Amino acid sequence: MKQRTQPEPVTSALLRDWLPEHEERGTVLVVGGSRRVPGAVLLSGIAALRTGAGTLQMATAERHAGGLGLAVPEALVVGLPEASSGAVSRDAADVLADFVPKAQSLVIGPGLTDVDETAALLERLLPMVAPDSPVVLDAFALGALGTHPSLGDPVRGRMVLTPNDVEAGYLLDAEVDDHVSAAREIAAKHDAVVNLMGVVAAPDGRLWQDSTGHIGLSTSGSGDVLAGLVGGLLARSPDLALAACWAGHVHAMAGQRLVPRTGLTGMLARELLDEVPQVLVELRTR
Ligand SMILES: NC(=O)C1=CN([C@@H]2O[C@H](COP(=O)(O)OP(=O)(O)OC[C@H]3O[C@@H](n4cnc5c(N)ncnc54)[C@H](O)[C@@H]3O)[C@@H](O)[C@H]2O)[C@@H](O)CC1
Ligand SMILES: Nc1ncnc2c1ncn2[C@@H]1O[C@H](COP(=O)(O)OP(=O)(O)O)[C@@H](O)[C@H]1O
């Protein structure tokens, strides 16, 4: 396929034709959280429910699993062993072996906080993923992939990466000077669809740029919400580029609408979760 030089703009019209109509809603498994950042996996999990997960499973450090279950009664929660650092331990793979192969889409990374434990965990988890299930990698899962690129081999062609600029730097092992070329390089290097700050790149050269969005989206937890939005869409349609463009657009539209109302607060991430359904309704009916 001829490589695009200029990204195609993401528009509501383009996306509306893409919105996955079939309501087959699968199971989304979110793996994340830690002693230090227990809420990240919750933000991703609720976001996945908002965009399409029929069944949500959240796997996180044992000490927080009960609280998650109360916060999201619709979800199944899995308690995972912790490493001494408080991060989810690589031994969590023993517990997750019962869940990973059955998930229609997976989101791994939000709230994981130790790159060595995360890399060792991914090394065992990714080969377990069902052959046609896509995987969203975010946060420390991206740092792990950046330092050990071969971790992605078992799911090559089935990954969506949602890096921020720091994570993109690890994935490239270089400075990020512009989002278009960085997204394109990461997509080619890791054979993955990438959503980097509103630029979506596919390994086959397709490229989109979303002019929506707002600086206010750069706030704690916002990336966890984005990763969950992608995971929920992937439970409805295995089209990686669709999920990355749609999730990014909904995330950006919600942020653009919220910031004037809420200001640049540090609680935008949870407000995004409540804004998403309204944005989806609007996009469908435009
Ligand atoms: N208040 C916070 O700091 C929050 C942090 N969150 C989560 O907490 C975790 C840590 O986030 P921070 O922003 O503090 O992370 P850092 O600012 O320490 O690092 C940012 C990213 O760089 C990469 N990285 C850092 N050190 C690395 C290393 N030694 N080798 C390879 N890659 C490395 C990781 O992918 C990491 O996600 C992430 O899972 C993130 O999702 C968010 O969920 C929300 C709240
Ligand atoms: N200035 C911006 N314009 C548009 N989108 C943004 C902007 N800042 C952040 N975002 C979006 O929000 C996401 C999360 O931002 P980030 O600062 O990485 O939050 P987190 O620390 O939770 O990962 C980014 O991946 C990007 O999609």
Side-chain angles (χ1 to χ4, degrees):
M1 171 175 283
K2 184 174 174 310
Q3 192 150 65
R4 280 187 183 284
T5 49
Q6 287 308 318
E8 181 180 354
V10 174
T11 61
S12 306
L14 172 92
L15 290 170
R16 190 177 48 244
D17 300 342
W18 272 4
L19 189 62
E21 284 310 326
H22 65 87
E23 293 305 310
E24 170 233 334
R25 294 170 172 238
T27 295
V28 175
L29 172 63
V30 181
V31 180
S34 60
R35 191 180 307 162
R36 175 157 70 91
V37 196
V41 67
L42 185 58
L43 291 168
S44 290
I46 297 173
L49 281 172
R50 294 281 197 214
T51 50
T55 310
L56 171 66
Q57 298 178 346
M58 292 186 287
T60 191
E62 177 67 49
R63 70 176 69 221
H64 295 308
L68 284 194
L70 293 174
V72 189
E74 301 89 337
L76 177 149
V77 292
V78 184
L80 302 177
E82 282 177 37
S84 54
S85 61
V88 166
S89 157
R90 64 191 71 190
D91 299 336
D94 298 328
V95 177
L96 288 166
D98 291 338
F99 300 92
V100 168
K102 299 170 196 158
Q104 271 69 52
S105 90
L106 296 91
V107 179
I108 306 176
L112 296 182
T113 51
D114 177 320
V115 67
D116 296 329
E117 287 299 329
T118 301
L121 179 62
L122 287 179
E123 189 173 29
R124 292 187 57 195
L125 285 192
L126 295 182
M128 296 178 192
V129 176
D132 53 357
S133 290
V135 183
V136 182
L137 296 183
D138 186 40
F140 263 86
L142 295 174
L145 180 64
T147 39
H148 310 281
S150 61
L151 286 172
D153 291 352
V155 286
R156 276 186 88 83
R158 292 189 280 131
M159 286 187 285
V160 178
L161 312 180
T162 52
N164 58 25
D165 285 334
V166 174
E167 290 147 358
Y170 279 100
L171 288 166
L172 278 178
D173 196 15
E175 281 298 307
V176 172
D177 44 28
D178 87 274
H179 290 143
V180 171
S181 51
R184 183 188 279 141
E185 282 167 45
I186 295 170
K189 176 178 177 183
H190 295 283
D191 194 2
V193 167
V194 183
N195 182 317
L196 169 61
M197 305 298 274
V199 176
V200 176
D204 61 7
R206 290 176 298 155
L207 205 55
W208 297 267
Q209 182 147 26
D210 197 329
S211 58
T212 326
H214 194 287
I215 184 69
L217 284 166
S218 194
T219 180
S220 281
S222 168
D224 306 317
V225 170
L226 176 63
L229 296 176
V230 180
L233 283 166
L234 287 174
R236 295 170 66 178
S237 159
D239 184 325
L240 304 181
L242 148 75
C245 283
W246 250 109
H249 192 59
V250 170
H251 184 259
M253 276 192 68
Q256 206 167 46
R257 289 170 36 153
L258 269 172
V259 174
R261 290 208 312 260
T262 62
L264 297 181
T265 66
M267 288 173 65
L268 183 82
R270 67 177 76 185
E271 309 257 354
L272 285 172
L273 295 173
D274 295 334
E275 197 69 24
V276 161
Q278 184 53 38
V279 167
L280 278 173
V281 165
E282 269 184 32
L283 281 171
R284 271 182 175 280
T285 50
R286 267 192 188 169

